[in-house]
Amino acid sequence: NAGVMQNPRHLVRRRGQEARLRCSPMKGHSHVYWYRQLPEEGLKFMVYLQKENIIDESGMPKERFSAEFPKEGPSILRIQQVVRGDSAAYFCASSPTVQETQYFGPGTRLLVL
Amino acid sequence: AQSVTQLDSHVSVSEGTPVLLRCNYSSSYSPSLFWYVQHPNKGLQLLLKYTSAATLVKGINGFEAEFKKSETSFHLTKPSAHMSDAAEYFCVVSVPRISGTYKYIFGTGTRLKVLA
């Protein structure tokens, strides 16, 4: 059973461009979570999704950030018009139910020039 | 409010000596607690978890943690450090929300350095 997959592992964007981060949960997991880790800090919750639904987006910035988890395909975290402050590692986690342990992917490291 | 405090941002030990990484939590509910390890430029790996069963929890790679409700602590220990244990360690509390969902709250991390 493959673990949580994220791609790309590294992404470089110039200010104003769009960044798309993809996450494929573990097989059988229908709950996906996105976290952001700034340098020298812990992970901060961004958004929690189930298939086709956003359940909790209390950690998402109000502008430029969006997330989806379609019926088919990976979950996508989209950042429009990136700024230097968006540079961070973005981790995805999945779980089979909302009460179960979350399993993390390897992360996407976004660098905004 | 729920929170997690990792008391040491950096810990250095010599190889072969015991490891103690401290974590205190604050929760209005009976919490689930986790320790994750993150090696440089890698994702997070689950070391162990406490979910209201035995208070002494054994994890992978020789790590264990003891849940002490009276002290609101969940410290991570290992009897003998190995060079490969050098990494960042995160204490996490999972708290229920009114909506029926659960939320992970991360500590700020403890960077463990193992000296030869």
mmCIF file of all heavy atoms in Angstrom, chain A residues 9 33 35 37 40-43 45 48 55-56 58 91 98-107 109, chain B residues 10 34 36 38-44 46 49 90 97 100-104 106-109 111:
data_model
loop_
_atom_site.group_PDB
_atom_site.id
_atom_site.type_symbol
_atom_site.label_atom_id
_atom_site.label_comp_id
_atom_site.label_asym_id
_atom_site.label_seq_id
_atom_site.Cartn_x
_atom_site.Cartn_y
_atom_site.Cartn_z
ATOM 1 N N ARG A 9 7.762 17.592 -5.636
ATOM 2 C CA ARG A 9 8.453 17.661 -4.354
ATOM 3 C C ARG A 9 9.043 19.057 -4.155
ATOM 4 O O ARG A 9 9.135 19.534 -3.020
ATOM 5 C CB ARG A 9 9.557 16.606 -4.293
ATOM 6 C CG ARG A 9 9.054 15.171 -4.341
ATOM 7 C CD ARG A 9 8.323 14.786 -3.048
ATOM 8 N NE ARG A 9 9.151 14.986 -1.882
ATOM 9 C CZ ARG A 9 10.052 14.122 -1.448
ATOM 10 N NH1 ARG A 9 10.240 12.990 -2.078
ATOM 11 N NH2 ARG A 9 10.759 14.392 -0.365
ATOM 12 N N TYR A 33 -5.929 16.352 4.509
ATOM 13 C CA TYR A 33 -5.616 17.554 5.288
ATOM 14 C C TYR A 33 -4.390 18.219 4.668
ATOM 15 O O TYR A 33 -3.442 17.544 4.286
ATOM 16 C CB TYR A 33 -5.286 17.190 6.741
ATOM 17 C CG TYR A 33 -6.245 16.206 7.373
ATOM 18 C CD1 TYR A 33 -6.148 14.844 7.108
ATOM 19 C CD2 TYR A 33 -7.253 16.640 8.229
ATOM 20 C CE1 TYR A 33 -7.023 13.930 7.677
ATOM 21 C CE2 TYR A 33 -8.137 15.736 8.816
ATOM 22 C CZ TYR A 33 -8.008 14.384 8.531
ATOM 23 O OH TYR A 33 -8.884 13.492 9.095
ATOM 24 N N TYR A 35 -1.344 21.136 5.389
ATOM 25 C CA TYR A 35 -0.643 21.896 6.415
ATOM 26 C C TYR A 35 0.465 22.700 5.748
ATOM 27 O O TYR A 35 1.005 22.313 4.714
ATOM 28 C CB TYR A 35 0.008 20.961 7.440
ATOM 29 C CG TYR A 35 -0.945 20.158 8.272
ATOM 30 C CD1 TYR A 35 -1.471 18.953 7.799
ATOM 31 C CD2 TYR A 35 -1.320 20.588 9.539
ATOM 32 C CE1 TYR A 35 -2.352 18.210 8.563
ATOM 33 C CE2 TYR A 35 -2.191 19.846 10.316
ATOM 34 C CZ TYR A 35 -2.698 18.651 9.826
ATOM 35 O OH TYR A 35 -3.567 17.922 10.602
ATOM 36 N N GLN A 37 4.228 24.524 6.632
ATOM 37 C CA GLN A 37 5.332 24.624 7.582
ATOM 38 C C GLN A 37 6.280 25.716 7.110
ATOM 39 O O GLN A 37 6.959 25.570 6.096
ATOM 40 C CB GLN A 37 6.077 23.292 7.706
ATOM 41 C CG GLN A 37 7.192 23.316 8.736
ATOM 42 C CD GLN A 37 7.949 22.003 8.820
ATOM 43 O OE1 GLN A 37 8.105 21.285 7.834
ATOM 44 N NE2 GLN A 37 8.422 21.663 10.012
ATOM 45 N N GLU A 40 11.698 26.810 10.308
ATOM 46 C CA GLU A 40 11.931 26.785 11.759
ATOM 47 C C GLU A 40 10.631 26.804 12.573
ATOM 48 O O GLU A 40 10.637 27.161 13.750
ATOM 49 C CB GLU A 40 12.810 27.973 12.188
ATOM 50 C CG GLU A 40 14.132 28.073 11.437
ATOM 51 C CD GLU A 40 15.022 26.861 11.625
ATOM 52 O OE1 GLU A 40 15.093 26.355 12.770
ATOM 53 O OE2 GLU A 40 15.629 26.404 10.648
ATOM 54 N N GLU A 41 9.526 26.416 11.981
ATOM 55 C CA GLU A 41 8.258 26.380 12.717
ATOM 56 C C GLU A 41 7.600 25.015 12.588
ATOM 57 O O GLU A 41 7.988 24.194 11.771
ATOM 58 C CB GLU A 41 7.306 27.458 12.187
ATOM 59 C CG GLU A 41 7.762 28.871 12.466
ATOM 60 C CD GLU A 41 6.714 29.890 12.070
ATOM 61 O OE1 GLU A 41 5.555 29.509 11.843
ATOM 62 O OE2 GLU A 41 7.066 31.077 11.987
ATOM 63 N N GLY A 42 6.596 24.786 13.428
ATOM 64 C CA GLY A 42 5.800 23.569 13.312
ATOM 65 C C GLY A 42 4.798 23.680 12.185
ATOM 66 O O GLY A 42 4.728 24.682 11.476
ATOM 67 N N LEU A 43 4.031 22.642 12.017
ATOM 68 C CA LEU A 43 3.020 22.632 10.963
ATOM 69 C C LEU A 43 1.755 23.333 11.429
ATOM 70 O O LEU A 43 1.319 23.163 12.562
ATOM 71 C CB LEU A 43 2.673 21.200 10.570
ATOM 72 C CG LEU A 43 3.616 20.508 9.591
ATOM 73 C CD1 LEU A 43 4.944 20.187 10.235
ATOM 74 C CD2 LEU A 43 2.970 19.259 9.016
ATOM 75 N N PHE A 45 -2.264 23.901 10.480
ATOM 76 C CA PHE A 45 -3.396 23.373 9.728
ATOM 77 C C PHE A 45 -3.940 24.422 8.766
ATOM 78 O O PHE A 45 -4.075 25.599 9.113
ATOM 79 C CB PHE A 45 -4.487 22.953 10.710
ATOM 80 C CG PHE A 45 -5.813 22.648 10.074
ATOM 81 C CD1 PHE A 45 -6.037 21.429 9.455
ATOM 82 C CD2 PHE A 45 -6.836 23.587 10.094
ATOM 83 C CE1 PHE A 45 -7.271 21.143 8.875
ATOM 84 C CE2 PHE A 45 -8.058 23.314 9.519
ATOM 85 C CZ PHE A 45 -8.280 22.094 8.915
ATOM 86 N N TYR A 48 -9.221 20.932 5.657
ATOM 87 C CA TYR A 48 -9.570 19.516 5.747
ATOM 88 C C TYR A 48 -10.686 19.250 4.731
ATOM 89 O O TYR A 48 -11.701 19.957 4.704
ATOM 90 C CB TYR A 48 -10.003 19.189 7.166
ATOM 91 C CG TYR A 48 -10.872 17.970 7.359
ATOM 92 C CD1 TYR A 48 -10.582 16.764 6.734
ATOM 93 C CD2 TYR A 48 -11.977 18.030 8.203
ATOM 94 C CE1 TYR A 48 -11.393 15.646 6.931
ATOM 95 C CE2 TYR A 48 -12.779 16.928 8.401
ATOM 96 C CZ TYR A 48 -12.491 15.731 7.764
ATOM 97 O OH TYR A 48 -13.285 14.631 7.965
ATOM 98 N N ILE A 55 -14.490 20.494 4.443
ATOM 99 C CA ILE A 55 -15.119 20.339 5.750
ATOM 100 C C ILE A 55 -14.704 21.464 6.696
ATOM 101 O O ILE A 55 -15.515 21.981 7.450
ATOM 102 C CB ILE A 55 -14.752 18.978 6.380
ATOM 103 C CG1 ILE A 55 -15.051 17.826 5.426
ATOM 104 C CG2 ILE A 55 -15.473 18.799 7.702
ATOM 105 C CD1 ILE A 55 -16.500 17.732 5.000
ATOM 106 N N ASP A 56 -13.429 21.814 6.650
ATOM 107 C CA ASP A 56 -12.912 22.816 7.585
ATOM 108 C C ASP A 56 -11.798 23.564 6.868
ATOM 109 O O ASP A 56 -10.781 22.968 6.537
ATOM 110 C CB ASP A 56 -12.379 22.123 8.853
ATOM 111 C CG ASP A 56 -11.835 23.092 9.895
ATOM 112 O OD1 ASP A 56 -11.691 24.303 9.602
ATOM 113 O OD2 ASP A 56 -11.533 22.635 11.012
ATOM 114 N N SER A 58 -10.659 26.578 8.165
ATOM 115 C CA SER A 58 -10.396 27.652 9.119
ATOM 116 C C SER A 58 -8.942 28.127 9.103
ATOM 117 O O SER A 58 -8.650 29.223 9.551
ATOM 118 C CB SER A 58 -10.771 27.210 10.533
ATOM 119 O OG SER A 58 -10.050 26.041 10.897
ATOM 120 N N PHE A 91 2.487 20.278 3.427
ATOM 121 C CA PHE A 91 2.309 18.848 3.652
ATOM 122 C C PHE A 91 0.844 18.469 3.537
ATOM 123 O O PHE A 91 -0.044 19.182 3.991
ATOM 124 C CB PHE A 91 2.820 18.453 5.046
ATOM 125 C CG PHE A 91 4.312 18.499 5.162
ATOM 126 C CD1 PHE A 91 4.940 19.633 5.645
ATOM 127 C CD2 PHE A 91 5.079 17.409 4.785
ATOM 128 C CE1 PHE A 91 6.326 19.684 5.737
ATOM 129 C CE2 PHE A 91 6.462 17.451 4.876
ATOM 130 C CZ PHE A 91 7.078 18.592 5.357
ATOM 131 N N VAL A 98 -12.319 10.383 10.095
ATOM 132 C CA VAL A 98 -11.908 11.640 10.723
ATOM 133 C C VAL A 98 -11.247 11.400 12.070
ATOM 134 O O VAL A 98 -10.477 12.229 12.546
ATOM 135 C CB VAL A 98 -13.121 12.577 10.868
ATOM 136 C CG1 VAL A 98 -14.108 12.038 11.908
ATOM 137 C CG2 VAL A 98 -12.688 13.982 11.203
ATOM 138 N N GLN A 99 -11.500 10.279 12.697
ATOM 139 C CA GLN A 99 -10.951 10.036 14.027
ATOM 140 C C GLN A 99 -9.635 9.278 13.999
ATOM 141 O O GLN A 99 -9.014 9.078 15.018
ATOM 142 C CB GLN A 99 -11.960 9.253 14.857
ATOM 143 C CG GLN A 99 -13.237 10.019 15.124
ATOM 144 C CD GLN A 99 -14.230 9.196 15.932
ATOM 145 O OE1 GLN A 99 -13.979 8.031 16.210
ATOM 146 N NE2 GLN A 99 -15.351 9.784 16.279
ATOM 147 N N GLU A 100 -9.234 8.849 12.845
ATOM 148 C CA GLU A 100 -8.053 8.007 12.748
ATOM 149 C C GLU A 100 -6.773 8.844 12.640
ATOM 150 O O GLU A 100 -6.803 10.039 12.330
ATOM 151 C CB GLU A 100 -8.150 7.112 11.519
ATOM 152 C CG GLU A 100 -9.287 6.093 11.579
ATOM 153 C CD GLU A 100 -8.924 4.871 12.391
ATOM 154 O OE1 GLU A 100 -7.722 4.670 12.649
ATOM 155 O OE2 GLU A 100 -9.839 4.126 12.747
ATOM 156 N N THR A 101 -5.666 8.175 12.867
ATOM 157 C CA THR A 101 -4.350 8.790 12.736
ATOM 158 C C THR A 101 -4.146 9.319 11.321
ATOM 159 O O THR A 101 -4.561 8.698 10.343
ATOM 160 C CB THR A 101 -3.266 7.747 13.042
ATOM 161 O OG1 THR A 101 -3.491 7.236 14.351
ATOM 162 C CG2 THR A 101 -1.880 8.347 12.936
ATOM 163 N N GLN A 102 -3.495 10.472 11.228
ATOM 164 C CA GLN A 102 -3.181 11.058 9.931
ATOM 165 C C GLN A 102 -1.789 10.597 9.488
ATOM 166 O O GLN A 102 -0.845 10.588 10.283
ATOM 167 C CB GLN A 102 -3.217 12.585 10.023
ATOM 168 C CG GLN A 102 -4.606 13.121 10.343
ATOM 169 C CD GLN A 102 -4.631 14.624 10.475
ATOM 170 O OE1 GLN A 102 -3.803 15.333 9.914
ATOM 171 N NE2 GLN A 102 -5.586 15.131 11.217
ATOM 172 N N TYR A 103 -1.696 10.253 8.231
ATOM 173 C CA TYR A 103 -0.423 9.830 7.634
ATOM 174 C C TYR A 103 0.015 10.888 6.636
ATOM 175 O O TYR A 103 -0.776 11.295 5.792
ATOM 176 C CB TYR A 103 -0.572 8.459 6.973
ATOM 177 C CG TYR A 103 -0.826 7.376 7.980
ATOM 178 C CD1 TYR A 103 -2.110 7.059 8.379
ATOM 179 C CD2 TYR A 103 0.239 6.708 8.574
ATOM 180 C CE1 TYR A 103 -2.347 6.092 9.342
ATOM 181 C CE2 TYR A 103 0.010 5.730 9.534
ATOM 182 C CZ TYR A 103 -1.283 5.431 9.916
ATOM 183 O OH TYR A 103 -1.503 4.476 10.875
ATOM 184 N N PHE A 104 1.274 11.283 6.754
ATOM 185 C CA PHE A 104 1.751 12.444 6.013
ATOM 186 C C PHE A 104 2.528 12.056 4.765
ATOM 187 O O PHE A 104 3.248 11.048 4.738
ATOM 188 C CB PHE A 104 2.643 13.302 6.912
ATOM 189 C CG PHE A 104 1.880 14.103 7.914
ATOM 190 C CD1 PHE A 104 1.410 13.515 9.078
ATOM 191 C CD2 PHE A 104 1.592 15.436 7.685
ATOM 192 C CE1 PHE A 104 0.678 14.244 10.003
ATOM 193 C CE2 PHE A 104 0.865 16.180 8.600
ATOM 194 C CZ PHE A 104 0.405 15.582 9.761
ATOM 195 N N GLY A 105 2.404 12.900 3.760
ATOM 196 C CA GLY A 105 3.218 12.789 2.568
ATOM 197 C C GLY A 105 4.566 13.451 2.774
ATOM 198 O O GLY A 105 4.817 14.055 3.819
ATOM 199 N N PRO A 106 5.439 13.370 1.753
ATOM 200 C CA PRO A 106 6.796 13.920 1.870
ATOM 201 C C PRO A 106 6.855 15.432 1.748
ATOM 202 O O PRO A 106 7.891 16.036 2.018
ATOM 203 C CB PRO A 106 7.533 13.253 0.715
ATOM 204 C CG PRO A 106 6.463 12.970 -0.292
ATOM 205 C CD PRO A 106 5.223 12.668 0.492
ATOM 206 N N GLY A 107 5.752 16.050 1.350
ATOM 207 C CA GLY A 107 5.727 17.506 1.276
ATOM 208 C C GLY A 107 6.129 18.056 -0.073
ATOM 209 O O GLY A 107 6.813 17.400 -0.866
ATOM 210 N N ARG A 109 7.994 21.517 -1.352
ATOM 211 C CA ARG A 109 8.708 22.711 -0.914
ATOM 212 C C ARG A 109 8.599 23.765 -1.997
ATOM 213 O O ARG A 109 9.140 23.596 -3.089
ATOM 214 C CB ARG A 109 10.150 22.374 -0.567
ATOM 215 C CG ARG A 109 10.216 21.738 0.821
ATOM 216 C CD ARG A 109 11.346 20.769 1.021
ATOM 217 N NE ARG A 109 11.277 20.182 2.357
ATOM 218 C CZ ARG A 109 10.561 19.111 2.683
ATOM 219 N NH1 ARG A 109 9.872 18.482 1.752
ATOM 220 N NH2 ARG A 109 10.524 18.660 3.917
ATOM 221 N N HIS B 10 15.843 22.809 21.132
ATOM 222 C CA HIS B 10 16.998 22.012 20.731
ATOM 223 C C HIS B 10 17.423 21.135 21.899
ATOM 224 O O HIS B 10 17.445 21.597 23.050
ATOM 225 C CB HIS B 10 18.174 22.913 20.320
ATOM 226 C CG HIS B 10 17.916 23.699 19.074
ATOM 227 N ND1 HIS B 10 17.208 24.875 19.062
ATOM 228 C CD2 HIS B 10 18.276 23.464 17.779
ATOM 229 C CE1 HIS B 10 17.139 25.340 17.830
ATOM 230 N NE2 HIS B 10 17.776 24.507 17.022
ATOM 231 N N PHE B 34 0.184 12.440 19.958
ATOM 232 C CA PHE B 34 1.055 11.775 19.001
ATOM 233 C C PHE B 34 2.453 12.390 19.085
ATOM 234 O O PHE B 34 2.617 13.557 19.450
ATOM 235 C CB PHE B 34 0.548 12.000 17.562
ATOM 236 C CG PHE B 34 -0.881 11.588 17.324
ATOM 237 C CD1 PHE B 34 -1.927 12.403 17.732
ATOM 238 C CD2 PHE B 34 -1.171 10.402 16.681
ATOM 239 C CE1 PHE B 34 -3.251 12.038 17.511
ATOM 240 C CE2 PHE B 34 -2.494 10.031 16.452
ATOM 241 C CZ PHE B 34 -3.520 10.854 16.873
ATOM 242 N N TYR B 36 5.531 12.704 16.191
ATOM 243 C CA TYR B 36 5.991 12.485 14.823
ATOM 244 C C TYR B 36 7.457 12.904 14.735
ATOM 245 O O TYR B 36 7.904 13.810 15.442
ATOM 246 C CB TYR B 36 5.194 13.343 13.836
ATOM 247 C CG TYR B 36 3.793 12.845 13.517
ATOM 248 C CD1 TYR B 36 2.727 13.169 14.339
ATOM 249 C CD2 TYR B 36 3.551 12.072 12.382
ATOM 250 C CE1 TYR B 36 1.440 12.723 14.036
ATOM 251 C CE2 TYR B 36 2.272 11.635 12.076
ATOM 252 C CZ TYR B 36 1.229 11.966 12.907
ATOM 253 O OH TYR B 36 -0.044 11.520 12.596
ATOM 254 N N GLN B 38 10.533 14.096 11.942
ATOM 255 C CA GLN B 38 10.771 14.612 10.595
ATOM 256 C C GLN B 38 12.271 14.693 10.368
ATOM 257 O O GLN B 38 12.962 15.494 11.007
ATOM 258 C CB GLN B 38 10.148 16.002 10.424
ATOM 259 C CG GLN B 38 10.295 16.560 9.019
ATOM 260 C CD GLN B 38 9.715 17.958 8.881
ATOM 261 O OE1 GLN B 38 9.647 18.727 9.833
ATOM 262 N NE2 GLN B 38 9.271 18.302 7.680
ATOM 263 N N HIS B 39 12.754 13.871 9.459
ATOM 264 C CA HIS B 39 14.154 13.950 9.084
ATOM 265 C C HIS B 39 14.330 15.046 8.043
ATOM 266 O O HIS B 39 13.371 15.413 7.355
ATOM 267 C CB HIS B 39 14.634 12.595 8.563
ATOM 268 C CG HIS B 39 14.733 11.563 9.643
ATOM 269 N ND1 HIS B 39 15.830 11.437 10.458
ATOM 270 C CD2 HIS B 39 13.852 10.633 10.072
ATOM 271 C CE1 HIS B 39 15.631 10.471 11.345
ATOM 272 N NE2 HIS B 39 14.431 9.966 11.127
ATOM 273 N N PRO B 40 15.539 15.596 7.918
ATOM 274 C CA PRO B 40 15.747 16.740 7.031
ATOM 275 C C PRO B 40 15.168 16.534 5.633
ATOM 276 O O PRO B 40 15.414 15.499 5.001
ATOM 277 C CB PRO B 40 17.271 16.878 6.994
ATOM 278 C CG PRO B 40 17.720 16.326 8.305
ATOM 279 C CD PRO B 40 16.776 15.194 8.599
ATOM 280 N N ASN B 41 14.377 17.511 5.205
ATOM 281 C CA ASN B 41 13.757 17.502 3.873
ATOM 282 C C ASN B 41 12.901 16.266 3.610
ATOM 283 O O ASN B 41 12.750 15.845 2.461
ATOM 284 C CB ASN B 41 14.834 17.625 2.789
ATOM 285 C CG ASN B 41 15.562 18.935 2.886
ATOM 286 O OD1 ASN B 41 14.948 19.986 3.048
ATOM 287 N ND2 ASN B 41 16.874 18.906 2.830
ATOM 288 N N LYS B 42 12.362 15.720 4.651
ATOM 289 C CA LYS B 42 11.476 14.559 4.519
ATOM 290 C C LYS B 42 10.109 14.894 5.100
ATOM 291 O O LYS B 42 9.909 15.941 5.733
ATOM 292 C CB LYS B 42 12.057 13.352 5.291
ATOM 293 C CG LYS B 42 13.428 12.932 4.848
ATOM 294 C CD LYS B 42 13.391 12.129 3.585
ATOM 295 C CE LYS B 42 14.760 11.552 3.296
ATOM 296 N NZ LYS B 42 14.801 10.872 1.990
ATOM 297 N N GLY B 43 9.172 13.984 4.898
ATOM 298 C CA GLY B 43 7.852 14.134 5.502
ATOM 299 C C GLY B 43 7.853 13.701 6.950
ATOM 300 O O GLY B 43 8.904 13.395 7.523
ATOM 301 N N LEU B 44 6.695 13.661 7.545
ATOM 302 C CA LEU B 44 6.556 13.294 8.948
ATOM 303 C C LEU B 44 6.213 11.818 9.077
ATOM 304 O O LEU B 44 5.334 11.316 8.379
ATOM 305 C CB LEU B 44 5.453 14.115 9.614
ATOM 306 C CG LEU B 44 5.861 15.505 10.077
ATOM 307 C CD1 LEU B 44 5.987 16.435 8.891
ATOM 308 C CD2 LEU B 44 4.852 16.055 11.059
ATOM 309 N N LEU B 46 5.031 8.828 11.795
ATOM 310 C CA LEU B 46 4.433 8.604 13.100
ATOM 311 C C LEU B 46 5.343 7.721 13.946
ATOM 312 O O LEU B 46 5.723 6.627 13.525
ATOM 313 C CB LEU B 46 3.064 7.934 12.935
ATOM 314 C CG LEU B 46 2.335 7.591 14.222
ATOM 315 C CD1 LEU B 46 1.912 8.864 14.955
ATOM 316 C CD2 LEU B 46 1.115 6.720 13.922
ATOM 317 N N LYS B 49 1.425 6.857 19.325
ATOM 318 C CA LYS B 49 0.227 7.619 19.643
ATOM 319 C C LYS B 49 -0.418 7.113 20.919
ATOM 320 O O LYS B 49 -0.316 5.932 21.258
ATOM 321 C CB LYS B 49 -0.769 7.559 18.489
ATOM 322 C CG LYS B 49 -1.335 6.167 18.216
ATOM 323 C CD LYS B 49 -2.341 6.232 17.068
ATOM 324 C CE LYS B 49 -2.891 4.846 16.758
ATOM 325 N NZ LYS B 49 -3.862 4.856 15.641
ATOM 326 N N PHE B 90 8.011 16.325 16.654
ATOM 327 C CA PHE B 90 6.817 17.135 16.900
ATOM 328 C C PHE B 90 5.834 16.381 17.790
ATOM 329 O O PHE B 90 5.499 15.227 17.519
ATOM 330 C CB PHE B 90 6.112 17.492 15.587
ATOM 331 C CG PHE B 90 6.895 18.436 14.722
ATOM 332 C CD1 PHE B 90 7.637 17.963 13.649
ATOM 333 C CD2 PHE B 90 6.892 19.800 14.977
ATOM 334 C CE1 PHE B 90 8.369 18.835 12.851
ATOM 335 C CE2 PHE B 90 7.614 20.682 14.184
ATOM 336 C CZ PHE B 90 8.356 20.188 13.125
ATOM 337 N N ARG B 97 -13.812 18.785 17.557
ATOM 338 C CA ARG B 97 -14.457 20.069 17.346
ATOM 339 C C ARG B 97 -15.970 19.878 17.382
ATOM 340 O O ARG B 97 -16.469 18.771 17.226
ATOM 341 C CB ARG B 97 -14.024 20.653 16.001
ATOM 342 C CG ARG B 97 -12.535 20.956 15.958
ATOM 343 C CD ARG B 97 -12.068 21.167 14.537
ATOM 344 N NE ARG B 97 -12.675 22.321 13.920
ATOM 345 C CZ ARG B 97 -12.112 23.530 13.885
ATOM 346 N NH1 ARG B 97 -10.948 23.727 14.450
ATOM 347 N NH2 ARG B 97 -12.706 24.538 13.275
ATOM 348 N N GLY B 100 -17.844 17.880 14.914
ATOM 349 C CA GLY B 100 -17.655 16.437 14.840
ATOM 350 C C GLY B 100 -16.342 16.036 14.208
ATOM 351 O O GLY B 100 -16.006 14.867 14.147
ATOM 352 N N THR B 101 -15.607 17.015 13.704
ATOM 353 C CA THR B 101 -14.294 16.732 13.124
ATOM 354 C C THR B 101 -13.223 16.777 14.217
ATOM 355 O O THR B 101 -13.509 17.128 15.363
ATOM 356 C CB THR B 101 -13.962 17.750 12.028
ATOM 357 O OG1 THR B 101 -13.932 19.051 12.623
ATOM 358 C CG2 THR B 101 -15.023 17.744 10.931
ATOM 359 N N TYR B 102 -12.026 16.439 13.846
ATOM 360 C CA TYR B 102 -10.893 16.501 14.761
ATOM 361 C C TYR B 102 -9.818 17.379 14.144
ATOM 362 O O TYR B 102 -9.697 17.467 12.936
ATOM 363 C CB TYR B 102 -10.328 15.100 15.019
ATOM 364 C CG TYR B 102 -11.193 14.285 15.943
ATOM 365 C CD1 TYR B 102 -12.389 13.735 15.503
ATOM 366 C CD2 TYR B 102 -10.840 14.088 17.262
ATOM 367 C CE1 TYR B 102 -13.191 13.013 16.343
ATOM 368 C CE2 TYR B 102 -11.632 13.348 18.122
ATOM 369 C CZ TYR B 102 -12.816 12.812 17.652
ATOM 370 O OH TYR B 102 -13.607 12.090 18.504
ATOM 371 N N LYS B 103 -9.046 17.992 14.999
ATOM 372 C CA LYS B 103 -8.027 18.897 14.494
ATOM 373 C C LYS B 103 -6.701 18.586 15.166
ATOM 374 O O LYS B 103 -6.642 18.401 16.377
ATOM 375 C CB LYS B 103 -8.434 20.340 14.796
ATOM 376 C CG LYS B 103 -7.498 21.381 14.219
ATOM 377 C CD LYS B 103 -8.105 22.765 14.384
ATOM 378 C CE LYS B 103 -7.184 23.814 13.797
ATOM 379 N NZ LYS B 103 -7.784 25.156 13.870
ATOM 380 N N TYR B 104 -5.647 18.512 14.358
ATOM 381 C CA TYR B 104 -4.310 18.337 14.880
ATOM 382 C C TYR B 104 -3.734 19.700 15.254
ATOM 383 O O TYR B 104 -3.751 20.629 14.443
ATOM 384 C CB TYR B 104 -3.401 17.728 13.802
ATOM 385 C CG TYR B 104 -3.266 16.235 13.794
ATOM 386 C CD1 TYR B 104 -4.240 15.393 14.297
ATOM 387 C CD2 TYR B 104 -2.121 15.651 13.261
ATOM 388 C CE1 TYR B 104 -4.094 14.015 14.260
ATOM 389 C CE2 TYR B 104 -1.966 14.272 13.220
ATOM 390 C CZ TYR B 104 -2.946 13.464 13.717
ATOM 391 O OH TYR B 104 -2.798 12.101 13.680
ATOM 392 N N PHE B 106 -0.080 21.207 16.400
ATOM 393 C CA PHE B 106 1.328 20.829 16.476
ATOM 394 C C PHE B 106 2.076 21.697 17.479
ATOM 395 O O PHE B 106 1.830 22.902 17.588
ATOM 396 C CB PHE B 106 1.998 21.010 15.110
ATOM 397 C CG PHE B 106 1.770 19.872 14.164
ATOM 398 C CD1 PHE B 106 0.563 19.736 13.505
ATOM 399 C CD2 PHE B 106 2.765 18.940 13.933
ATOM 400 C CE1 PHE B 106 0.351 18.675 12.633
ATOM 401 C CE2 PHE B 106 2.558 17.880 13.056
ATOM 402 C CZ PHE B 106 1.348 17.754 12.413
ATOM 403 N N GLY B 107 3.031 21.065 18.178
ATOM 404 C CA GLY B 107 4.024 21.834 18.900
ATOM 405 C C GLY B 107 5.007 22.447 17.921
ATOM 406 O O GLY B 107 4.990 22.137 16.726
ATOM 407 N N THR B 108 5.869 23.302 18.443
ATOM 408 C CA THR B 108 6.821 24.000 17.574
ATOM 409 C C THR B 108 8.027 23.150 17.208
ATOM 410 O O THR B 108 8.842 23.560 16.403
ATOM 411 C CB THR B 108 7.298 25.299 18.240
ATOM 412 O OG1 THR B 108 7.733 24.993 19.564
ATOM 413 C CG2 THR B 108 6.173 26.321 18.292
ATOM 414 N N GLY B 109 8.138 21.978 17.799
ATOM 415 C CA GLY B 109 9.196 21.050 17.414
ATOM 416 C C GLY B 109 10.414 21.124 18.320
ATOM 417 O O GLY B 109 10.724 22.163 18.905
ATOM 418 N N ARG B 111 14.467 19.986 17.973
ATOM 419 C CA ARG B 111 15.507 19.457 17.093
ATOM 420 C C ARG B 111 16.488 18.664 17.936
ATOM 421 O O ARG B 111 17.115 19.219 18.851
ATOM 422 C CB ARG B 111 16.215 20.580 16.367
ATOM 423 C CG ARG B 111 17.251 20.080 15.353
ATOM 424 C CD ARG B 111 17.477 21.086 14.254
ATOM 425 N NE ARG B 111 16.300 21.264 13.436
ATOM 426 C CZ ARG B 111 16.209 22.197 12.481
ATOM 427 N NH1 ARG B 111 17.211 23.020 12.243
ATOM 428 N NH2 ARG B 111 15.107 22.308 11.779
#
